[in-house]
Amino acid sequence: NWTAGGVVKPEIYYYEGIPSINVEKRAYIKVGEKENTKKIYLDENDKVAPGQRVYFEFDMTNKSNTRTVTDLSFVDNELDINKTITKDGVYSGENKVSVSNIEVYNKNNPSKNLEFDGLSSLTQGETITLRCEDVLYYDTKASDRNKTLTNIVTGYAKYFNNQLESSDDASVKISVEDKVYKASIEKSIHKVNNKEVTEDEQKIVKQ
């Protein structure tokens, strides 16, 4: 707005109930073959061998009690991943990357894959989980032996007519050990890292 003297009078808006988001990240490996493939989630005490492919998945929760957030996105620039995932697709820098499968599940309806549409908006209190195994993985290398690797993802969500943005970071650590670990599926109950599992009875065998 201009006054008679030519001085700009700023307009000030007060936005009540600024939403915040919470981002979480998990690492997992896959064992078995074809239709018998299962996931084993890794925790801070687990170790993988050089040459093991480690996958990542992300959660985002809208912690607001009153506001819907829109245009959700995740940026992972660590461990050679270098990908940005938005409702419009997967990008490496400014280049769009073709993927064969994107999984986005709202925890209120975990059986329905929303795909990229699931990144359009997130109402208050809701959580989504994102997986894209075509790009969200890291193959551990011989040079990683006896190291602990850290991977960080940043999640973003917009509000106030897409003019403002909330963000949050999450990280996961991967320990790579010199000794070899093999993962297999067996038909009896075993322990995986001292945790009992029943999905096709997975186990990690240390050699």
Side-chain angles (χ1 to χ4, degrees), residues 49 67 83-84 88 91 95 121 154 160 188 206:
R67 304 289 180 182
K83 297 295 184 296
T84 297
D88 299 316
Y91 294 86
N95 300 315
S121 64
T154 303
F160 193 46
S188 57
K206 183 177 180 181

Side-chain angles (χ1 to χ4, degrees), residues 149-205:
L149 311 175
T150 301
N151 186 254
I152 301 172
V153 64
T154 303
Y156 298 91
K158 295 182 179 180
Y159 60 99
F160 193 46
N161 297 322
N162 287 356
Q163 297 181 59
L164 301 177
E165 190 172 66
S166 290
S167 65
D168 189 37
D169 295 331
S171 64
V172 65
K173 294 184 182 297
I174 306 164
S175 296
V176 184
E177 191 169 285
D178 191 36
K179 297 179 181 179
V180 175
Y181 287 70
K182 284 187 177 179
S184 63
I185 296 178
E186 298 193 351
K187 293 183 179 180
S188 57
I189 295 177
H190 298 286
K191 294 263 186 177
V192 175
N193 302 310
N194 297 320
K195 293 178 292 187
E196 208 150 6
V197 292
T198 56
E199 283 193 8
D200 289 331
E201 292 66 51
Q202 308 160 12
K203 89 172 173 180
I204 293 179
V205 182

Side-chain angles (χ1 to χ4, degrees), residues 22-37:
N22 180 69
V23 173
E24 296 182 2
K25 180 173 190 173
R26 291 176 294 278
Y28 63 93
I29 61 174
K30 298 177 74 172
V31 298
E33 297 180 359
K34 297 181 180 180
E35 66 274 6
N36 291 322
T37 300

Side-chain angles (χ1 to χ4, degrees), residues 11 70 73 94 96 117 186 200-201:
E11 294 183 354
T70 59
S73 62
E94 296 182 356
K96 194 169 187 178
D117 287 343
E186 298 193 351
D200 289 331
E201 292 66 51

Side-chain angles (χ1 to χ4, degrees), residues 43-87:
D43 62 30
E44 60 184 12
N45 298 315
D46 294 322
K47 297 175 176 62
V48 298
Q52 175 70 59
R53 176 164 290 188
V54 180
Y55 296 91
F56 303 100
E57 66 180 34
F58 312 140
D59 285 353
M60 182 185 290
T61 300
N62 180 357
K63 297 178 68 178
S64 169
N65 293 323
T66 59
R67 304 289 180 182
T68 294
V69 293
T70 59
D71 281 2
L72 319 180
S73 62
F74 295 93
V75 178
D76 191 331
N77 287 327
E78 306 286 336
L79 298 181
D80 301 329
I81 295 176
N82 299 322
K83 297 295 184 296
T84 297
I85 301 178
T86 75
K87 64 183 178 61

